[in-house]
Amino acid sequence: MPGRIQSIERAAAILRLLSGRARRLGVAELAGELELPKGTVHGILRTLQVVGYVEQDQESGKYQLGPALLHMGSSYLDGNELRKRALNWADSLATQSGESVRIGTLHENQVLIVHHVFRPDNTRQALEVGALMPAHATALGKALLARHSYVAAELAGRGRLVAYTPETVTDVYRLRQELEEVSRRGWASEVGELVPGRASIAAPVEDGRRLTVGAIGITGSIDRLCDDGRLHIELVEYVTGAARAVSRELGAIPW
Amino acid sequence: MSGRYVAAIDQGTASSRCFVFDERARIVSVAQQEHRQHFPRPGWVEHDPQEIWTNVQSVVEAALERVEVSAREVCALGIANQRETTVLWDRRSGAPVHNAITWQDVRTDRICREIARGYGEDRVRERTGLPVSTYFSGPKIRWLLDHIPGVRERAEAGEVLFGTIDSWLVWNLCRRHVTDVTNASRTLLMNLHTLDWDPELLAAMDVPAAMLPEIRASSEAYGEAAGPLAGVPVASALGDQHAALVGQTCFSPGEAKCTFGTGSFLLFNTGARPVASGHGLLTTLGYRLGTEAPAYALEGSIAITGALVQWFRDNLGLIGSAPEIETLARSVQDSGGCYFVPAFSGLFAPHWRSDARGVITGLTSYITKGHLARAVLEATAWQTRDVLEAVNSDDGHRLAELRVDGGMTANHLLMQFLADVLDVPVTRPIVAETVSLGAAYAAGLAVGFWPDLDSLKHNWRKAAEWLPNMDPRERERGHRKWKKAVARAVDWLDDDD
């Protein structure tokens, strides 16, 4: 296998940062994020500007994704569009499972919650739309990481992962193994890895190009989601069924 | 009573759908079919009643087949329908004498002006709770009687019958000529106090009593169905917005729902007596369950809400799809002092200014498309606040929370801003299909599938809640500016326009 080209990796890292929530960043901010000299970052930005992948805002001097990139048909799907298209399926998943439902997309190696349906028991709950959650400690995150190996590789490159509970998978090798398993079976789970006593199940959502544009899943207490330490297969089927339904809604080939 | 399910038909302006619900009000199955829109002349919109009946039968069949439910397992069928759309048919053959004239159709403009001048707008409002408008069925009946040769004579002899879509469907399902109070309340012919056809209004509109259906409760068994649901009692009929009020379980005075679609409809339960509006709202029936006292409602309709987002997408091209407006709007912190009054065809409740046209105010060189996107969304919230203020001036009950449904509830920025400017929590139920659910509830109640209103309230599940989170001074300042913007929209049309 030929060696990896460092400058391309760096250019890709810059584009990923610019596709994140901030959408517009200066040279210094990018250099700081990437821990690279400003000169190096500036050189890469100039080249990306020439090919139309980034553009510079006249007034602020900051950089943002360029039109060429946006028109290339990237996997970008507006989170609000995803919510709108998934609305009915998310509601029925909450009704079927009796648990709260969340839909997430990847943003800067984290999970951005784009939709949230309350657990249908009329208790007081707060909307979490817009919140960011750690990818390696959530079922939504694992479902997404399994389909976005570059993000998983970047997380792994940071060495040990943050532990939220004693159950959190912090070992990169173990996470990678689990993601392979997720990829094989088509759904992800997490048991007490983010909050003690809570578990979640999630499955990826694809669009018409078979690109993974998000994940949908349920979260609830371990008592309700698990039986003798094993997840209820019925709940897993509800989640994968909902993911298939949303994918179909987005034009993915029915399967 | 036998059966584990209730079926509901939602006969809408664009399509007919059939839903099957279980005891916990969960959707078990759904089928949908669109029907053709006929535009014989500018401003005229017709539907083919036969096509609607054929579609209704096939969606009922499809919904049952999909989950392998037989008619025996269905204990009742309910109907929710597009309101005011008018059908005349031959009693013997069952054949329509003309296409249905839909609610949007404005051909009765001249008839309405004559009635308003001759009989008097105020007298009509006193008796019906409605302004004289092309929406309502009475003038549409009159137009058909005047324009289709021979129909008036046959109607006077009771050979040609009138019905709104609920009547048309019940007639075809079980050969009974009935309608419910909510649909009858949209004809301009029913007296709001007696809940019966008003002889004086019939005379004023020149409509023979012999052609009119019997007015019944919204929830009672009208007869047994034939066809795919043979033997199943047809047990409810409600206009779609009224069905949504029931589906949202707004059963107590002071409870309200608002459906946010292309336009928006707020219905506010005022309890056992009709409340006359001094602020241009409609006084209407909420529902009537069996032999219980009727529940009345105030209704405020807003012509342009979701339609403004569509306009922003299609006519300005600043977004590719309607949901993207939220993304664009979130690119800025606020509307930058920009206000958008979408008075595209005048202002409706509570202003009723047909001389108004749309304005965008507060423009400065600072304003970007992001600010405009915000102003577009905020316009829906401010218009809802105007309607709710009118309700508050007409009725003593205070709103504790607004229950919402419809496509725009997917927009979190809008729902939060709505809670902020109304200063009440805004809640969305987990069953978004409140119209069909309301029809199912009313039908299920009639046959004892659900014992009482409490059991229905128990089924209502909160899927999302937005709590007010705005500085009161900021709210009042925003509202003041909105009112100034509205003042700039009115008095735009001139006599020679």
Side-chain angles (χ1 to χ4, degrees):
Chain A
M1 181 179 132
R4 300 197 303 196
I5 301 167
Q6 197 183 38
S7 55
I8 292 182
E9 284 188 332
R10 287 173 173 173
I14 288 174
L15 292 176
R16 257 200 315 280
L17 284 170
L18 290 175
S19 70
R21 292 187 95 200
R23 296 280 153 114
R24 202 179 276 179
L25 294 166
V27 178
E29 290 165 280
L30 286 164
E33 268 308 317
L34 298 169
E35 295 176 274
L36 288 171
K38 273 203 272 186
T40 310
V41 171
H42 193 237
I44 294 170
L45 282 169
R46 287 278 295 276
T47 310
L48 289 172
Q49 200 174 357
V50 170
V51 297
Y53 284 15
V54 303
E55 60 184 359
Q56 193 175 15
D57 182 47
Q58 295 277 330
E59 270 182 46
S60 62
K62 291 188 174 190
Y63 290 86
Q64 59 196 25
L65 292 184
L69 196 63
L70 296 175
H71 290 148
M72 270 171 69
S74 66
S75 65
Y76 179 78
L77 176 73
D78 188 290
N80 296 312
E81 177 94 40
L82 177 58
R83 180 196 310 128
K84 172 86 202 214
R85 306 278 291 269
L87 206 63
N88 284 334
W89 303 111
D91 283 350
S92 25
L93 177 57
T95 308
Q96 283 177 321
S97 66
E99 303 294 345
S100 65
V101 170
R102 285 169 189 74
I103 294 177
T105 58
L106 272 182
H107 266 274
E108 295 171 19
N109 305 341
Q110 289 181 291
V111 179
L112 172 67
I113 303 300
V114 299
H115 186 43
H116 176 190
V117 182
F118 290 169
R119 186 176 58 254
D121 60 6
N122 289 351
T123 56
R124 183 146 283 236
Q125 297 162 67
L127 275 179
E128 287 173 14
V129 172
L132 286 168
M133 302 177 88
H136 68 281
T138 54
L140 287 173
K142 289 182 196 176
L144 291 163
L145 289 177
R147 298 294 186 90
H148 291 92
S149 49
Y150 67 90
V151 181
E154 195 170 303
L155 273 182
R158 291 184 179 175
R160 268 190 97 69
L161 301 159
V162 179
Y164 295 92
T165 72
E167 304 301 321
T168 311
V169 179
T170 52
D171 179 70
V172 171
Y173 179 73
R174 232 192 91 199
L175 179 67
R176 213 175 270 156
Q177 268 187 323
E178 197 184 327
L179 294 182
E180 269 167 35
E181 170 73 7
V182 168
S183 191
R184 197 182 51 73
R185 68 184 181 193
W187 54 275
S189 66
E190 155 275 307
V191 180
E193 294 163 44
L194 182 66
V195 178
R198 299 187 71 75
S200 60
I201 306 169
V205 170
E206 294 180 344
D207 69 1
R209 295 158 299 179
R210 300 302 299 259
L211 292 167
T212 300
V213 292
I216 182 169
I218 59 173
T219 304
S221 78
I222 292 179
D223 310 345
R224 289 197 307 267
L225 263 59
C226 298
D227 194 18
D228 261 351
R230 293 178 65 85
L231 291 159
H232 285 293
I233 193 68
E234 199 183 49
L235 294 175
V236 171
E237 278 165 8
Y238 290 153
V239 170
T240 52
R244 267 199 304 278
V246 178
S247 300
R248 211 176 294 127
E249 171 73 31
L250 295 174
I253 305 147
W255 71 94
Chain B
M1 180 205 65
S2 66
R4 298 182 292 139
Y5 304 105
V6 172
I9 294 164
D10 175 5
Q11 204 303 303
T13 306
S15 68
S16 305
R17 299 189 294 170
C18 177
F19 291 82
V20 179
F21 290 95
D22 69 10
E23 199 182 356
R24 287 170 62 192
R26 295 181 297 197
I27 297 172
V28 176
S29 180
V30 56
Q32 172 168 5
Q33 206 167 335
E34 290 184 7
H35 56 263
R36 281 188 298 266
Q37 310 286 321
H38 300 272
F39 305 100
R41 290 190 202 176
W44 292 26
V45 191
E46 298 179 352
H47 293 160
D48 174 359
Q50 287 294 11
E51 185 188 8
I52 286 179
W53 168 234
T54 306
N55 288 3
V56 163
Q57 292 174 90
S58 70
V59 294
V60 167
E61 222 161 329
L64 295 179
E65 260 173 29
R66 202 156 289 171
V67 282
E68 293 175 1
V69 168
S70 73
R72 265 180 319 183
E73 294 173 274
V74 177
C75 67
L77 172 68
I79 297 169
N81 59 287
Q82 54 167 321
R83 304 184 293 177
E84 296 121 11
T85 295
T86 299
V87 190
L88 263 55
W89 67 91
D90 185 289
R91 180 193 285 275
R92 239 169 318 192
S93 69
V97 303
H98 191 270
N99 268 348
I101 303 182
T102 70
W103 58 273
Q104 310 109 303
D105 190 296
V106 296
R107 77 183 66 182
T108 55
D109 190 38
R110 199 177 48 82
I111 295 174
C112 288
R113 279 199 307 257
E114 279 169 20
I115 294 165
R117 256 200 313 268
Y119 181 74
E121 178 110 47
D122 290 346
R123 287 164 79 191
V124 171
R125 191 179 263 281
E126 256 164 51
R127 282 164 190 264
T128 66
L130 308 173
V132 181
S133 151
T134 58
Y135 283 126
F136 306 116
S137 313
K140 297 183 199 292
I141 303 173
R142 166 72 178 277
W143 188 94
L144 288 162
L145 295 173
D146 286 354
H147 289 81
I148 314 299
V151 164
R152 178 172 289 281
E153 293 69 35
R154 288 158 66 203
E156 276 164 1
E159 290 164 18
V160 163
L161 306 178
F162 152 76
T164 37
I165 293 289
D166 58 310
S167 282
W168 169 243
L169 295 180
V170 173
W171 171 267
N172 280 290
L173 282 162
C174 48
R175 283 288 178 272
R176 301 286 162 84
H177 190 216
V178 298
T179 188
D180 95 299
V181 284
T182 68
N183 278 293
S185 78
R186 318 295 293 191
T187 57
L188 285 174
L189 300 173
M190 187 188 81
N191 186 302
L192 209 50
H193 309 276
T194 64
L195 302 184
D196 204 349
W197 304 117
D198 187 312
E200 204 178 304
L201 291 167
L202 295 186
M205 243 161 278
D206 206 4
V207 168
M211 72 187 304
L212 301 176
E214 185 190 346
I215 301 174
R216 304 276 288 267
S218 319
S219 167
E220 67 169 282
Y222 308 122
E224 280 186 5
L229 280 174
V232 174
V234 179
S236 78
L238 294 131
D240 48 15
Q241 297 304 325
H242 313 262
L245 189 71
V246 174
Q248 288 271 27
T249 67
C250 295
F251 298 133
S252 306
E255 293 183 336
K257 71 91 200 174
C258 191
T259 303
F260 291 94
T262 313
S264 294
F265 295 89
L266 188 141
L267 262 74
F268 186 99
N269 188 328
T270 59
R273 63 187 184 90
V275 173
S277 175
H279 301 84
L281 302 175
L282 309 184
T283 306
T284 194
L285 263 299
Y287 49 85
R288 182 176 196 173
L289 306 175
T291 52
E292 286 177 32
Y296 288 87
L298 281 168
E299 173 176 329
S301 42
I302 309 167
I304 310 279
T305 52
L308 183 58
V309 176
Q310 289 162 12
W311 178 87
F312 192 72
R313 178 194 65 198
D314 299 335
N315 295 31
L316 297 189
L318 292 173
I319 46 172
S321 72
E324 279 176 30
I325 194 163
E326 186 171 351
T327 312
L328 182 55
R330 281 191 193 280
S331 67
V332 292
Q333 290 303 307
D334 53 39
S335 74
C338 178
Y339 288 80
F340 198 143
V341 184
F344 289 168
S345 46
L347 280 168
F348 288 22
H351 311 286
W352 297 103
R353 292 291 297 256
S354 55
D355 63 348
R357 284 299 178 268
V359 292
I360 306 175
T361 63
L363 290 178
T364 61
S365 58
Y366 167 77
I367 296 298
T368 65
K369 58 186 177 180
H371 298 110
L372 282 180
R374 281 245 171 194
V376 161
L377 293 177
E378 291 179 6
T380 289
W382 289 122
Q383 291 185 97
T384 311
R385 167 145 177 178
D386 282 350
V387 166
L388 203 57
E389 282 203 349
V391 170
N392 286 337
S393 335
D394 289 333
D395 187 75
H397 299 102
R398 300 303 289 192
L399 186 72
E401 80 175 8
L402 182 65
R403 296 189 163 184
V404 298
D405 50 64
M408 287 184 103
T409 59
N411 192 310
H412 281 241
L413 182 82
L414 170 59
M415 291 299 114
Q416 182 58 53
F417 193 75
L418 186 65
D420 286 344
V421 304
L422 299 182
D423 199 20
V424 294
V426 168
T427 55
R428 177 178 86 80
I430 207 158
V431 177
E433 299 293 348
T434 56
V435 170
S436 51
L437 182 60
Y441 276 167
L445 278 173
V447 299
F449 185 70
W450 286 293
D452 50 28
L453 297 185
D454 279 345
S455 65
L456 303 184
K457 274 187 142 358
H458 185 74
N459 278 338
W460 190 90
R461 289 283 184 273
K462 195 189 296 176
E465 179 174 40
W466 294 269
L467 300 171
N469 180 28
M470 186 185 253
D471 183 329
R473 277 166 308 183
E474 195 191 331
R475 178 183 303 125
E476 286 327 301
R477 204 181 135 269
H479 190 222
R480 191 179 71 230
K481 290 289 187 202
W482 166 256
K483 284 192 285 195
K484 287 173 102 170
V486 169
R488 276 154 181 77
V490 301
D491 190 25
W492 179 258
L493 280 201
D494 296 315
D495 288 340
D496 57 353
D497 276 327

